[in-house]
């Protein structure tokens, strides 16, 4: 299990490190800027090296704590959470610092005569000419998985133990056991149904999200990116649903052993990480890594609506979804209350389910 956690930590470090190399064309650490000087190139390299170095140090420390000090599983779990939080906080703080440095550099350029582009380019046929994985089919696939899970659970109701294991440690030993109740038996399918809603709306975001294009070439890149992102999202959604299905078949309906669940988890997790890394490395955000040597026009400058180059807040924009400036995929317009509700309500619901289970 230690090697799985190490792989996850390495993936997290790599994802954070790659941030400046997978962002949209003309965006540098969340700042709209078409020029890349040697200093900015070095800033990107320094950000990458710092995050990867921290990731390697964290992994070595975690292996030492596990193998060298023989700490308890509970202590290791706490250390893992601390290390993951440390990696994320460091990456975000380093990003904020780089964002301020690039913003200061841009302000200096403006004083010297640099003119930001305030002209927005729109392709009126953008959504009509773009295809994504059919949302109805994504919903159907997930509901079929959940339906099979519920049917198996009902059929094997008699063999469900009076005590249900809801959590294991790194060695596969149960650490959280709850009583056999209707709610505890079907809590996972309930969470899966909420996920169907979230993942389906997320899939639609690739088609309905605000476009950010500069010319015909960038339109093709953006559409290609959103299409492949939709299919990647479908793969992730199905793999996540199968993972929860396997947990249900192990903890609630004892048809699978913990060892079998562990093997399934390893395979599915590996497929998920491979899929995400492939999207990052091959496509980049909005297709930024497609034909990187090509020259594109200066991007539309809307930096004033991006807080710290990461959070989009624009009361004048009715858009629900916009493309991220940090990382890959879509994010929400925080000035749109519907978008905020879409994020907050499911989180509160799933936390409530977890609370009642415990």
């Amino acid at each position: 299990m230690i090697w799985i956690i190490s792989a996850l930590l390495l993936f997290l470090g790599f994802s954070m490190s790659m941030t400046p190399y997978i962002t949209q064309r003309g965006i540098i650490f969340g700042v709209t800027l078409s020029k890349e000087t040697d200093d900015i190139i070095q800033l990107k390299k320094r950000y990458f090296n710092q995050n990867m170095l921290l990731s390697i140090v964290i992994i070595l420390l975690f292996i030492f704590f596990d193998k060298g000090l023989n700490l308890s599983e509970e202590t290791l779990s706490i250390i893992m959470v601390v290390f993951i939080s440390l990696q994320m906080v460091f990456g975000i703080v380093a990003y904020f610092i780089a964002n301020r440095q690039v913003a200061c550099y841009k302000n200096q350029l403006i004083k010297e005569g640099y003119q930001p582009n305030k002209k927005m380019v729109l392709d009126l046929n953008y959504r009509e000419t773009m295809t994504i994985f059919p949302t109805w089919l994504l919903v159907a696939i997930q509901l079929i998985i959940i339906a099979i899970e519920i049917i198996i659970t009902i059929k094997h109701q008699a063999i469900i133990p009076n005590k249900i294991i809801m959590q294991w440690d790194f060695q596969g030993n149960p650490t959280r056991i709850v009583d056999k109740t209707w709610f505890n038996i079907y809590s996972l399918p309930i969470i899966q149904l909420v996920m169907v809603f979230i993942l389906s709306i997320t899939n639609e975001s690739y088609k309905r999200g605000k476009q950010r294009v500069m010319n015909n070439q960038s339109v093709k890149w953006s559409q290609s990116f959103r299409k492949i992102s939709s299919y990647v999202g479908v793969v992730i959604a199905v793999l996540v649903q199968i993972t929860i299905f396997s947990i249900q078949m192990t903890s609630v309906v004892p048809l699978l052993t913990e060892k079998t669940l562990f093997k399934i988890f390893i395979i599915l997790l590996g497929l998920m990480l491979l899929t995400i890394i492939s999207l990052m490395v091959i496509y980049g955000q909005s297709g930024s890594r497609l034909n990187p040597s090509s020259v594109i026009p200066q991007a539309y400058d809307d930096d004033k609506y991006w807080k710290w180059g990461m959070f989009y807040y624009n009361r004048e924009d009715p858009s629900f979804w916009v493309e991220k400036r940090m990382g890959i995929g879509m994010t929400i317009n925080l000035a749109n209350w519907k978008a905020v509700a879409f994020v907050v309500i499911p989180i509160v619901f799933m936390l409530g389910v977890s609370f009642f289970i415990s």
Side-chain angles (χ1 to χ4, degrees):
M1 193 68 177
I2 182 67
W3 304 113
I4 299 176
I5 297 172
S6 298
L8 287 172
L9 290 170
L10 184 61
F11 169 76
L12 178 60
F14 178 75
S15 300
M16 300 294 293
S17 301
M18 283 293 292
T19 296
Y21 296 100
I22 61 174
T23 53
Q24 303 171 43
R25 297 284 188 95
I27 303 293
I28 304 172
F29 287 106
V31 178
T32 305
L33 190 63
S34 57
K35 299 179 180 180
E36 273 200 29
T37 63
D38 291 339
D39 289 339
I40 289 179
I41 293 174
Q42 290 301 317
L43 182 63
K44 285 184 172 183
K45 290 181 179 179
R46 186 161 61 249
Y47 181 87
F48 180 91
N49 293 335
Q50 288 174 345
N51 277 276
M52 284 305 299
L53 178 61
L54 177 62
S55 179
I56 293 171
V57 171
I58 284 176
I59 291 170
L60 293 176
L61 284 174
F62 192 79
I63 294 174
F64 171 74
F65 287 142
D66 180 56
K67 303 296 183 181
L69 300 182
N70 294 319
L71 300 177
S72 66
E73 295 295 338
E74 184 178 355
T75 304
L76 284 175
S77 298
I78 296 173
I79 292 175
M80 181 185 69
V81 172
V82 171
F83 280 168
I84 291 175
S85 302
L86 176 62
Q87 180 80 68
M88 294 181 66
V89 169
F90 177 84
I92 293 173
V93 171
Y95 180 89
F96 285 161
I97 294 174
N99 170 265
R100 291 297 85 203
Q101 291 175 330
V102 177
C104 289
Y105 171 70
K106 178 182 176 181
N107 290 333
Q108 183 61 37
L109 288 180
I110 292 175
K111 292 178 181 179
E112 297 173 359
Y114 172 77
Q115 295 293 327
N117 179 21
K118 296 299 182 181
K119 183 180 179 181
M120 181 185 295
V121 177
L122 293 176
D123 184 342
L124 299 180
N125 297 317
Y126 183 83
R127 291 188 176 93
E128 286 70 19
T129 58
M130 182 178 62
T131 58
I132 61 172
F133 189 90
T135 300
W136 69 266
L137 184 55
L138 172 59
V139 172
I141 293 172
Q142 294 181 90
L143 290 180
I144 289 172
I145 295 173
I146 298 171
I148 294 173
E149 179 181 333
I150 293 175
I151 291 171
I152 294 175
T153 302
I154 295 173
K155 185 177 179 181
H156 294 84
Q157 193 86 18
I159 67 171
I160 296 177
N162 292 325
K163 297 291 184 179
I164 300 174
I165 301 173
M166 301 300 292
Q167 186 175 318
W168 294 268
D169 60 22
F170 298 142
Q171 306 302 324
N173 301 313
T175 58
R176 185 181 177 193
I177 301 175
V178 298
D179 294 328
K180 177 184 175 180
T181 64
W182 181 92
F183 186 79
N184 289 337
I185 291 173
Y186 294 100
S187 60
L188 289 180
I190 291 172
I191 292 175
Q192 286 174 272
L193 288 173
V194 176
M195 291 178 62
V196 170
F197 170 75
I198 296 172
L199 295 170
S200 301
I201 297 296
T202 301
N203 185 62
E204 278 294 310
S205 73
Y206 292 111
K207 190 165 188 177
R208 302 179 183 277
K210 182 179 179 180
Q211 60 175 286
R212 180 183 175 83
V213 296
M214 290 149 279
N215 59 6
N216 291 334
Q217 187 63 55
S218 67
V219 169
K220 294 179 181 178
W221 292 336
S222 177
Q223 289 179 331
S224 178
F225 164 76
R226 293 197 184 193
K227 179 179 179 180
I228 194 66
S229 295
S230 170
Y231 279 80
V232 166
V234 170
V235 172
I236 299 298
V238 172
L239 292 177
V240 169
Q241 295 288 12
I242 293 175
T243 300
I244 300 176
F245 174 93
S246 302
I247 295 173
Q248 178 81 356
M249 295 301 104
T250 305
S251 63
V252 179
V253 184
L255 297 179
L256 299 176
T257 64
E258 283 80 3
K259 290 184 178 180
T260 302
L261 174 63
F262 179 74
K263 292 177 182 178
I264 293 173
F265 177 75
I266 294 296
I267 294 172
L268 297 181
L269 179 62
L271 290 173
M272 281 188 258
L273 296 183
L274 180 62
T275 303
I276 295 172
I277 291 174
S278 298
L279 178 64
M280 289 170 51
V281 174
I282 298 174
Y283 281 83
Q285 176 70 326
S286 198
S288 62
R289 296 181 67 83
L290 297 174
N291 195 10
S293 60
S294 61
V295 178
I296 59 173
Q298 186 179 352
Y300 168 67
D301 192 320
D302 59 349
D303 288 358
K304 65 179 181 179
Y305 300 118
W306 286 92
K307 311 305 178 184
W308 303 295
M310 183 184 298
F311 306 107
Y312 185 70
Y313 189 92
N314 185 357
R315 293 180 182 274
E316 300 173 358
D317 187 352
S319 298
F320 192 106
W321 298 97
V322 294
E323 293 184 1
K324 286 182 179 180
R325 286 199 171 186
M326 179 185 182
I328 198 164
M330 309 295 286
T331 188
I332 62 171
N333 178 6
L334 291 171
N336 187 326
W337 71 267
K338 295 179 182 178
V340 176
F342 169 76
V343 174
V344 173
I345 292 176
I347 293 176
V348 172
F349 178 82
M350 286 189 282
L351 288 176
V353 171
S354 299
F355 173 77
F356 281 113
I357 290 176
S358 62

